[in-house]
Amino acid sequence: MGTFAVHALCDGVGTFFEPLSSAFPGAGVTDLASAVEFDPVAFPSDGGWRLHFHAFLICPREGGAILVDAGIGDANAPAADWAPAPGRMPENLTSSGVAPSDVDTVLLTHLHSDHVGWSVVDGRPFFPNARYVVPRADHDAVEKLNPRVRDEILAPLAATGQLDLIEGKVRLGPGVTTVPTPGHTPGHTSAVLESGDDAVVFSGDVVLNALQLVAPQVAYSLDDDPEAARAARLALLDEARSRGAWLATSHLTDPFVRSRIL
Ligand SMILES: [Zn+2]
Ligand SMILES: [Zn+2]
């Protein structure tokens, strides 16, 4: 896109531990029919939810790389007890032509275990030269979110001085800015990449399933604050649509959705 390459890195594909009906209890029959049409693979006939786990790599032409989210992680990662571990981040980076040492910034949209897994491997930051940008409100809530993420991810990053806690809108690099989208977690943060008239909105878990594209008012049962999450979703989708942006989603089958069709 413009002067950037944007890669979707799929860390794995799996079935969620709750049926769709309890993950999105507010979805109506019509919403479900539209969502199935939009993303048929995500809705197997047994009522489960088949989801992908995407991270994204933004590569400016002039060099460097920004990683948005860090996937499931290896077989010992905090997400391994529910997500399809090990993930494929190392292979995906190689096929994108990027070494871990090339990544200068890692944005963790939030501190759920399936978004932070490759941040730290065997107690050491997997991206040795990166600053790890983490929403402060999630850092402050990590005890409640997942104590393993505190001990196994945040502590090693703090020890090497690579942890960078943020609030509000922050510039991550040329053309890339964070957008606070709290609700799914207290500090959930999305990002926007702009190049000329084009834009990509990295939504994180603001949108978890196609149900929330066809019916953005539908809440996710594990959102920390469903009302705030709904407001953030409506605002971010409005922004994406008004720019004709691509939406880069964490868990839909197709990592990139053109927002103008929504
Ligand atoms: Zn999440
Ligand atoms: Zn997620």
Side-chain angles (χ1 to χ4, degrees):
M1 198 197 73
T3 60
F4 296 85
V6 182
H7 302 268
L9 311 181
C10 184
D11 218 34
V13 184
T15 302
F16 198 55
F17 51 78
E18 281 189 30
L20 202 70
S21 55
S22 52
F24 302 96
V29 175
T30 326
D31 302 332
L32 188 60
S34 307
V36 170
E37 199 173 320
F38 196 96
D39 187 2
V41 178
F43 300 89
S45 55
D46 61 2
W49 169 19
R50 192 160 174 76
L51 71 169
H52 284 231
F53 296 83
H54 300 136
F56 294 91
L57 190 64
I58 303 169
C59 299
R61 191 177 288 161
E62 58 270 26
I66 297 174
L67 183 69
V68 179
D69 279 334
I72 297 162
D74 69 7
N76 303 313
D81 57 0
W82 70 274
R88 301 190 297 244
M89 177 74 76
E91 302 92 294
N92 285 335
L93 286 172
T94 303
S95 57
S96 303
V98 170
S101 58
D102 296 332
V103 174
D104 49 56
T105 305
V106 177
L107 168 66
L108 302 179
T109 60
H110 63 299
L111 293 180
H112 280 163
S113 57
D114 57 319
H115 292 254
V116 304
W118 290 103
S119 299
V120 173
V121 175
D122 295 333
R124 284 187 298 276
F126 188 66
F127 302 97
N129 300 320
R131 71 167 172 143
Y132 286 73
V133 175
V134 171
R136 183 179 293 277
D138 267 29
H139 169 272
D140 294 350
V142 72
E143 183 68 42
K144 191 176 83 171
L145 290 170
N146 190 332
R148 281 192 64 187
V149 171
R150 177 196 59 202
D151 298 343
E152 297 169 35
I153 306 286
L154 296 182
L157 295 175
T160 58
Q162 286 171 269
L163 188 60
D164 185 2
L165 301 179
I166 62 153
E167 289 166 84
K169 289 196 179 203
V170 171
R171 185 177 176 276
L172 297 181
V176 187
T177 312
T178 63
V179 182
T181 43
H184 178 67
T185 60
H188 190 284
T189 296
S190 304
V192 178
L193 160 64
E194 294 173 284
S195 181
D197 292 336
D198 273 335
V200 183
V201 172
F202 300 87
S203 51
D205 277 358
V206 167
V207 172
L208 288 121
N209 178 282
L211 273 170
Q212 295 182 306
L213 290 180
V214 301
Q217 78 282 1
V218 170
Y220 172 56
S221 60
L222 299 178
D223 281 340
D224 175 68
D225 179 341
E227 271 312 314
R230 187 178 287 125
R233 184 162 47 253
L234 289 166
L236 194 72
L237 289 175
D238 263 358
E239 182 177 347
R241 216 178 282 118
S242 70
R243 292 164 179 251
W246 289 96
L247 208 60
T249 68
S250 298
H251 298 302
L252 271 67
T253 305
D254 190 342
F256 297 107
V257 175
R258 196 65 162 171
S259 63
R260 68 168 63 111
I261 65 168
L262 301 174

